[in-house]
Each structure stands twice: as C-alpha cells, then as structure tokens.
Amino acid sequence: MDTGPATGISHCTLTDGRRLSYAEWGAADGVPAFYFHGTTSSRLEGALYDSEARAKGVRLITVDRPGVGDSDPLPGRRLRDWPADVAQLADQLGILQYAVAGGSGGGPHALACAALTPQRVSGVVLVNTAVPPLPHYWRTMPAPMRMLLWLYLNCRPVARYLARKMAAGRDPALLLDNARYLKARRLLPAADRPVMDDATRRRLFGQAVVEGLRQNPLCFAEESDIFLGHGPDTWQFEPLTVQVPLVALCGDADGSKLFAQALIDNSRTTARIQTFKGGHLSALGAEAAAMSMAALASFRYSA
C-alpha cells in the first residue's frame, strides 16, 4: 500500500492487480466508515464531510470506484463487484468491521456491501440514494430521469445514446467559476439553491467532480448503465433484503423517499428515515453532512 501525502491519494492493490484509490478524513481513531461518492464525483467529496466526521468521531474513508479518479478501470463492472473491492481495502487497512455510506449513485454501492458482505458491515447510511429501475419508485423523480428509465426499460440503445449525450454535456467548470455559476443558477431546482450558493461547498464539490471525470468523462453514462441497463435485475441483489442497521437520509424535495420507505418497511433490524431541507444536490450541504456523520457514529457499538 502506498500513500501520496502531497496529493491526498492513497492506493491499495487488489488481488486481480488493479489499484484502488482512496482518501481518509475525520478522526484517525474514530468509527471506521467507508463513504461512496455520487456519480461523476470522486473520493475528494470527503472534504465536504471532514469537519463533521472529526466532530462526530468518524474515520471516514472515501474510495474512487473503478475507472473513476485514480482507480484502475474494471471493464463490464456491475454493482455486485464492489463489496469485494471494499472488503479487500478494509483488510489492507486492518479493519474487520465497518459502516458504509453512499450519496446518490454511491447509495446502491453501499447497499450492495450491506446485502452481499453483511458480516463485515455494521450499518449503512444512504443520502438521497439512487433507486432501482422499477417504475413505482420513480414516480417522484425529475422528468428527465423518468424518461431515461422508460427508455432503458423499452429501448435500451436509445437510452444509452441519451445517457452519453447527457454525460458529454456536463461541465464541472461552472461549479468553480462564480460568474458562470450565477448565470446557470436559475437552472437549478429552487430547493437546492441555498446549498449550492455556498461558494466553499460548491468549490469543494467542483474539485471532486473534476477529479471524478478526469479519467472517464462519460462515467455518468457508464453508471447509468450499471444502475438501469440490464432490466429489473440490473442490481443483481435484492436491496429490500438488507438486514443491517440502516439510516436513510432524504431531502424533503428529493425523489428517493419512496424507495427509502420501502427499505425501512422491509427491515427486521434498526432502521429509520430522517429528512433534511432541500433536493437532490442538498445532500452536499452542511445539514446532510452533520446528519450522515452522526448516523455513522451511532454504529459505534456494533463495529
């Protein structure tokens, strides 16, 4: 295992020879927890949670997924490939049991760990999680995403073409350029503007996205295919069977609440929903950060 202190990048080498990159934040001797970034973001998203992780006593480890940031690609990867990568990283860090958390596209990756390696996972925190490709969970999603799901279910080649066009149109530079952001601000959902108007958090998120797109500018299309592109069994595990302690955090204007409630209703262990103010991007705000780190810290005695 090698560490690059000047860049904040650490790497571990997996059994198949791939390198996995990660970064550590928060309290070095705290509750061990892996955080999985949103789609198009990277391990640098941990900067948004660093101060709250320190305050709550969480050792937060953020990991670049294959082909993202500085992690080597894994061609044809699926959600069920991820838990083994995380378990190998935990082994190399000397961590026997750990909590997992995921925001947006990181949510399904956290659920995969909880479902497929439950003996390692002390608890799972979801923050505005992406949801399975089942129409009844998508009723409250934004219209463009509902259209993308319909296309994946009914005309997959068109869906993949549209996902690539959507990916190509993403420009993280507007998050780093205040003048450009102000011009584009009106396109944001009103519920997310208060969080995105915070120049410091917007800059940190922008840096995470620049890093996330550095290796693969079309990673939005790749992850759309992972989440949606293989029919109802795309995820290759049943998320409603997850039976580790679970906290689902949802923005009061986000579309993930129906799925989050289904997870809670099907849980036979400790599970709860908490809401914070805002929409999907408000998962990046200070309120959501404080709630997610407090939830991870609550798994202290099962770790």
Side-chain angles (χ1 to χ4, degrees):
M1 189 176 305
D2 60 284
T3 303
T7 60
I9 303 175
S10 299
H11 299 92
C12 79
T13 301
L14 305 175
T15 55
D16 63 2
R18 286 183 294 119
R19 290 199 321 165
L20 203 64
S21 61
Y22 66 96
E24 296 207 38
W25 317 84
D29 59 349
V31 177
F34 290 97
Y35 174 83
F36 309 136
H37 57 77
T39 299
T40 75
S41 190
S42 68
R43 69 189 182 283
L44 298 183
E45 200 171 301
L48 293 163
Y49 303 96
D50 184 39
S51 61
E52 286 294 342
R54 278 187 276 110
K56 300 297 191 298
V58 175
R59 177 188 179 186
L60 192 68
I61 305 158
T62 55
V63 193
D64 285 334
R65 291 195 280 279
V68 173
D70 213 47
S71 286
D72 292 338
L74 176 62
R77 72 178 175 96
R78 301 285 295 275
L79 277 173
R80 68 177 300 116
D81 298 317
W82 182 241
D85 285 0
V86 176
Q88 286 189 56
L89 173 56
D91 289 343
Q92 294 195 35
L93 292 173
I95 301 171
L96 178 63
Q97 197 173 35
Y98 43 84
V100 293
S104 189
H109 292 82
L111 283 169
C113 292
L116 301 176
T117 52
Q119 72 282 3
R120 303 294 300 267
V121 175
S122 60
V124 57
V125 177
L126 306 174
V127 189
N128 283 353
T129 183
V131 308
L134 299 172
H136 54 280
Y137 292 139
W138 285 67
R139 295 199 307 268
T140 55
M141 289 291 179
M145 296 307 295
R146 292 199 308 272
M147 179 180 67
L148 187 62
L149 172 65
W150 187 91
L151 286 170
Y152 264 111
L153 294 177
N154 294 278
C155 189
R156 198 170 302 164
V158 174
R160 287 174 169 156
Y161 171 80
L162 179 61
R164 289 179 69 85
K165 294 290 285 184
M166 293 170 72
R170 291 180 172 237
D171 181 7
L174 69 83
L175 296 168
L176 302 172
D177 184 320
N178 192 57
R180 290 184 63 189
Y181 168 75
L182 292 175
K183 288 181 180 178
R185 182 181 182 274
R186 61 183 177 79
L187 301 175
L188 282 174
D192 286 323
R193 291 172 192 165
V195 165
M196 297 307 292
D197 284 349
D198 182 321
T200 298
R201 299 191 81 82
R202 189 173 70 248
R203 175 179 54 80
L204 292 174
F205 179 51
Q207 291 170 347
V209 174
V210 168
E211 173 67 1
L213 296 176
R214 176 173 58 83
Q215 183 179 169
N216 180 10
L218 297 180
C219 68
F220 172 81
E222 178 180 300
E223 291 218 331
S224 293
D225 209 51
I226 290 169
F227 298 148
L228 305 173
H230 302 274
D233 192 37
T234 289
W235 286 21
Q236 297 183 307
F237 68 92
E238 175 46 73
L240 298 186
T241 65
V242 167
Q243 296 301 330
V244 302
L246 183 147
V247 178
L249 304 179
C250 303
D252 56 17
D254 187 58
S256 63
K257 292 190 290 294
L258 290 175
F259 176 53
Q261 188 61 57
L263 289 168
I264 303 306
D265 292 344
N266 282 273
S267 177
R268 297 191 302 273
T269 185
T270 305
R272 68 183 187 274
I273 288 182
Q274 294 178 265
T275 59
F276 54 89
K277 190 173 180 58
H280 196 69
L281 290 172
S282 297
L284 305 167
E287 182 184 10
M291 293 170 69
S292 58
M293 294 305 105
L296 289 172
S298 74
F299 302 132
R300 181 184 305 273
Y301 298 110
S302 52

